[in-house]
């Protein structure tokens, strides 16, 4: 029997996916990982469907070429705008035995376990919010929930430009949170629907009333991946177990 040699690819437009990779590696340390950040073209959040799809597909192809059997789009914008087309249109011809997964579904599957008021807020990039992916997916699992959303177009640039601890970050975080809370008076749970946002968590907490739960995706996605690999032994058996992590970027490292 041949030795499994395939890696798990983790993709994001930039640094945000590292918040997800960290939790995955914590829960599944045995595998080999390849992280690809498309820093040269980040942020994706304000780009059109076509562009996000084109960039994401290019990066997925690269990860396949580099021997990834399974690619996780650790990017909500790419999950919202490109995942379905890649899964349905591209994969069958490109690599029918490989898999591409996203981060929105695992989050929407469990959000009902957190809220008591049945009012949930979603923070995300302009692309994720305008796609309506969160309300659409949440409705499938929890039709009783009210979902209110807020696009935060400045948050990813603040992280990508290393300004996430600056006073400028406070201004935009407070502005977007105030706007979100004004749209849903009884919000008790907020999804950080962008993998960059956990890097802003201290400032986000500073401007939120006590008692509101914040859902970051790292742990949720990691738990969901464990479940996926348990259910898909044909994929799991291909994965090499060398405990390595490699980082790639489309820009200067
Ligand atoms: N981390 C990506 C997400 O989860 C950020 C997208 C962007 O580059 O704007 O949506």
């Amino acid at each position: 029997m041949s030795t499994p040699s395939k890696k798990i690819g983790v993709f994001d437009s930039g640094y945000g996916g590292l918040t997800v990779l960290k939790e995955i590696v914590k829960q599944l340390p045995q595998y080999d990982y390849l992280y690809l950040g498309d820093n040269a073209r980040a942020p994706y959040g304000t780009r059109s469907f076509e562009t996000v799809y084109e960039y994401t597909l290019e990066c997925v192809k690269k990860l396949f070429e580099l021997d990834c059997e399974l690619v996780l789009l650790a990017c909500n914008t790419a999950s919202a705008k490109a995942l379905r087309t890649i899964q349905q249109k591209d994969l069958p011809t490109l690599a029918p035995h490989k898999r591409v997964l996203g981060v929105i579904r695992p989050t929407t599957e469990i959000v009902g376990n957190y809220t008591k008021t049945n009012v949930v807020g979603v923070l995300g990039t302009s692309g994720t919010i305008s796609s309506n992916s969160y309300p659409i997916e949440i409705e499938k699992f929890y039709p009783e929930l009210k979902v209110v959303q807020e696009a935060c177009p400045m948050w990813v640039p603040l992280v990508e430009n290393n300004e996430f601890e600056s006073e400028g970050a406070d201004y935009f975080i407070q502005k977007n949170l105030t706007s979100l809370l004004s749209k849903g008076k009884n919000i008790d749970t907020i999804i950080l629907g962008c993998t960059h946002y956990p890097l802003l968590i201290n400032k986000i907490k500073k401007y939120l009333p006590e008692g509101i739960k914040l859902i970051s995706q790292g742990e949720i996605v990691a738990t969901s991946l464990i479940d996926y690999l348990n259910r898909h032994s044909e994929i799991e058996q291909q994965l090499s177990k060398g405990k390595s992590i490699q980082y790639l970027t489309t820009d200067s490292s």
Side-chain angles (χ1 to χ4, degrees):
M1 207 171 109
S2 63
T3 320
S5 61
K6 308 284 187 186
K7 303 179 194 90
I8 297 179
V10 177
F11 165 73
D12 182 49
S13 60
Y15 298 124
L18 293 171
T19 63
V20 176
L21 177 68
K22 189 172 155 203
E23 289 300 329
I24 293 178
V25 173
K26 207 193 274 176
Q27 296 197 37
L28 293 166
Q30 66 272 38
Y31 299 113
D32 292 303
Y33 296 92
L34 190 49
Y35 182 88
L36 174 59
D38 191 5
N39 300 77
R41 301 184 292 195
Y44 279 16
T46 44
R47 295 188 189 275
S48 69
F49 261 86
E50 292 71 24
T51 304
V52 172
Y53 163 65
E54 185 194 314
Y55 289 178
T56 305
L57 180 61
E58 218 177 291
C59 292
V60 166
K61 282 183 178 167
K62 186 75 202 166
L63 286 166
F64 282 170
E65 259 170 58
L66 295 170
D67 256 346
C68 293
E69 187 66 9
L70 175 69
V71 171
L72 174 71
L73 303 184
C75 175
N76 287 266
T77 311
S79 298
K81 292 186 159 189
L83 178 63
R84 187 178 295 254
T85 315
I86 291 177
Q87 285 175 331
Q88 295 180 353
K89 183 176 146 274
D90 300 299
L91 264 190
T93 48
L94 193 66
H97 302 298
K98 296 187 187 251
R99 292 291 172 264
V100 182
L101 306 174
V103 289
I104 293 180
R105 187 159 177 133
T107 314
T108 56
E109 271 175 5
I110 52 84
V111 65
N113 303 338
Y114 290 79
T115 176
K116 298 252 179 316
T117 60
N118 283 356
V119 187
V120 172
V122 180
L123 297 165
T125 65
S126 306
T128 299
I129 299 305
S130 66
S131 76
N132 268 328
S133 297
Y134 273 96
I136 291 168
E137 286 297 316
I138 290 173
E139 160 97 48
K140 291 182 193 158
F141 298 106
Y142 305 101
E144 70 282 11
L145 296 194
K146 177 177 176 193
V147 181
V148 288
Q149 309 192 86
E150 173 75 9
C152 312
M154 289 304 290
W155 293 19
V156 170
L158 285 166
V159 173
E160 289 291 322
N161 291 294
N162 218 7
E163 287 286 342
F164 58 98
E165 286 180 340
S166 69
E167 282 175 24
D170 283 78
Y171 172 80
F172 288 106
I173 290 171
Q174 190 176 19
K175 179 179 167 197
N176 291 125
L177 290 179
T178 306
S179 170
L180 177 75
L181 294 173
S182 74
K183 294 177 196 167
K185 299 284 178 236
N186 291 324
I187 292 176
D188 69 345
T189 304
I190 295 180
I191 297 174
L192 299 182
C194 171
T195 53
H196 281 68
Y197 296 174
L199 295 162
L200 298 163
I201 194 112
N202 291 336
K203 287 196 189 286
I204 295 171
K205 283 184 179 160
K206 186 167 147 192
Y207 294 109
L208 277 183
E210 276 199 22
I212 295 191
K213 288 168 230 108
L214 282 175
I215 304 187
S216 294
Q217 295 174 304
E219 265 183 63
I220 293 164
V221 172
T223 308
S224 161
L225 183 60
I226 294 175
D227 178 53
Y228 180 87
L229 292 173
N230 284 337
R231 286 184 290 109
H232 293 271
S233 56
E234 76 287 1
I235 303 281
E236 202 285 330
Q237 281 161 11
Q238 307 273 341
L239 300 174
S240 55
K241 296 170 182 81
K243 299 185 176 178
S244 70
I245 312 177
Q246 266 176 285
Y247 299 92
L248 298 178
T249 170
T250 52
D251 210 335
S252 152
S253 55

